[in-house]
């Protein structure tokens, strides 16, 4: 069970004095003021399959043309750059409730719009799981919070069919072979996914290796399809 966010008394006092402040520039007004919202690094052009930021008008990145991932589509909101990286870190590592509300709302709306535009539906939403020890240290799993919010907004069941059975070290700085070795056997499926169209939620997608490994596992357990939704994407592909 996720632990509630730790209270931050000073922040609460400031919030009472200045009830509405922009999360990014601190100006009084809306939680995120219009100029700050417009200035976020929205991911406008990216690979239709893995959401890798692209400078050209191509639909797929060179990696997906050569060896596409097993998931069908990745919906991603931003490039992982300033200032959204700071906001995501406040959500992930400081349990900042305003950042969390903003990010949950943005991702939920984006998934809702995507479903309406593409006339798609999911049978279940699930989060990239974190190891119990990491959850204990952090107090909660950010992807789980996002998945719950998306599930409620889109009125799609939230399932916890995925587990993280083995500790894996951070994927940062590892090459493709090392990342696959680091992740192999670390996830497990312990709920029904057969015949389901699934939406897997992650907070930040770096190389897409984790998303691909989990998607493969879900498909091997009979899932019909897996899509990914995440907040932000770094410009690195799993094959690099
Ligand atoms: Zn602002
Ligand atoms: Zn791609």
């Amino acid at each position: 069970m996720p632990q509630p966010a730790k209270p931050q008394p000073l922040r609460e006092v400031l919030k009472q004095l200045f009830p509405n402040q922009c999360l990014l520039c601190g100006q009084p007004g809306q939680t995120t003021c219009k100029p700050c919202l417009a200035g976020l690094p929205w991911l406008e052009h990216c690979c239709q399959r893995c959401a890798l930021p692209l400078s050209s008008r191509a639909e797929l990145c060179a990696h997906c043309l050569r060896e596409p991932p097993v998931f069908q589509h990745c919906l991603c909101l931003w490039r992982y750059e300033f200032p959204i990286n700071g906001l995501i870190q406040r959500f992930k590592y400081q349990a900042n409730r305003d950042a969390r509300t903003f990010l949950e709302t943005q991702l939920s709306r984006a998934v809702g719009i995507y479903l309406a535009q593409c006339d798609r539906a999911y049978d279940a939403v699930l989060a990239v799981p974190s190891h119990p020890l990491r959850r204990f240290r952090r107090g909660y799993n950010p992807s789980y919070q996002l998945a719950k919010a998306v599930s409620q907004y889109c009125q799609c069941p939230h399932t916890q069919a995925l587990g993280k059975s083995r500790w894996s070290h951070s994927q940062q700085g590892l090459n493709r072979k090392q990342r696959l070795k680091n992740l192999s056997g670390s996830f497990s499926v312990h709920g029904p996914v057969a015949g389901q169209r699934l939406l897997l939620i992650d907070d930040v997608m770096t190389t897409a290796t984790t998303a691909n490994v989990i998607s493969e596992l879900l498909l091997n357990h009979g899932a019909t399809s897996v899509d990914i939704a995440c907040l932000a994407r770094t410009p690195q592909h799993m094959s690099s």
Side-chain angles (χ1 to χ4, degrees):
M1 285 289 288
Q3 300 294 314
K6 288 177 188 166
Q8 298 178 33
L10 179 60
R11 192 176 60 81
E12 289 305 317
V13 172
L14 287 172
K15 202 170 174 182
Q16 282 172 26
L17 289 171
F18 308 102
N20 293 309
Q21 272 185 305
C22 173
L23 269 170
L24 293 159
C25 67
Q27 292 293 313
Q30 294 167 307
T31 311
T32 314
C33 73
K34 278 187 182 171
C36 282
L37 195 59
L40 289 176
W42 296 96
L43 188 51
E44 283 164 358
H45 193 63
C46 63
C47 172
Q48 297 301 299
R49 195 74 186 254
C50 74
L52 188 75
L54 294 177
S55 51
S56 73
R57 287 275 148 199
E59 289 206 347
L60 295 174
C61 72
H63 310 285
C64 288
L65 278 172
R66 198 169 55 238
E67 190 184 349
V70 295
F71 55 82
Q72 292 289 306
H73 176 72
C74 175
L75 173 72
C76 177
L77 297 181
W78 298 289
R79 299 185 303 276
Y80 192 63
E81 293 173 3
F82 178 84
I84 202 68
N85 52 359
L87 206 57
I88 291 173
Q89 283 172 21
R90 279 155 76 184
F91 161 55
K92 283 180 70 167
Y93 303 111
Q94 297 166 19
N96 184 293
R97 275 178 283 180
D98 291 335
R100 172 181 149 185
T101 304
F102 171 75
L103 296 169
E104 284 177 351
T105 305
Q106 293 293 318
L107 188 63
S108 299
R109 282 184 190 161
V111 173
I113 291 168
Y114 174 72
L115 288 175
Q117 281 180 345
C118 302
D119 197 21
R120 279 180 74 92
Y122 296 116
D123 298 304
V125 177
L126 67 178
V128 169
S130 61
H131 190 274
L133 186 57
R134 184 162 281 153
R135 259 198 325 272
F136 177 73
R137 276 187 190 164
R138 196 178 277 172
Y140 68 108
N141 172 8
S143 299
Y144 173 84
Q145 302 292 342
L146 292 168
K148 257 193 344 184
V150 170
S151 155
Q152 279 171 8
Y153 185 89
C154 298
Q155 299 185 326
C156 177
H158 175 221
T159 175
Q160 294 191 64
L162 267 175
K164 182 122 194 219
S165 42
R166 191 173 64 76
W167 178 271
S168 54
H169 296 283
S170 166
Q171 297 281 88
Q172 272 185 346
L174 303 182
N175 63 29
R176 181 174 188 264
K177 203 171 167 185
Q178 290 167 328
R179 286 196 300 271
L180 285 172
K181 190 178 173 194
N182 188 33
L183 285 176
S184 73
S186 62
F187 297 103
S188 55
V189 175
H190 47 73
V193 295
Q196 296 193 7
R197 297 159 297 177
L198 301 171
L199 178 65
L200 179 68
I201 307 282
D202 202 356
D203 43 37
V204 178
M205 185 187 268
T206 48
T207 63
T209 307
T210 302
N212 206 41
V213 164
I214 294 176
S215 300
E216 195 165 19
L217 183 68
L218 292 166
L219 292 168
N220 286 342
H221 279 76
T224 305
S225 64
V226 183
D227 278 359
I228 315 292
C230 63
L231 296 171
R233 181 80 160 92
T234 61
Q236 189 188 5
H237 194 271
M238 60 184 164
S239 64
S240 42

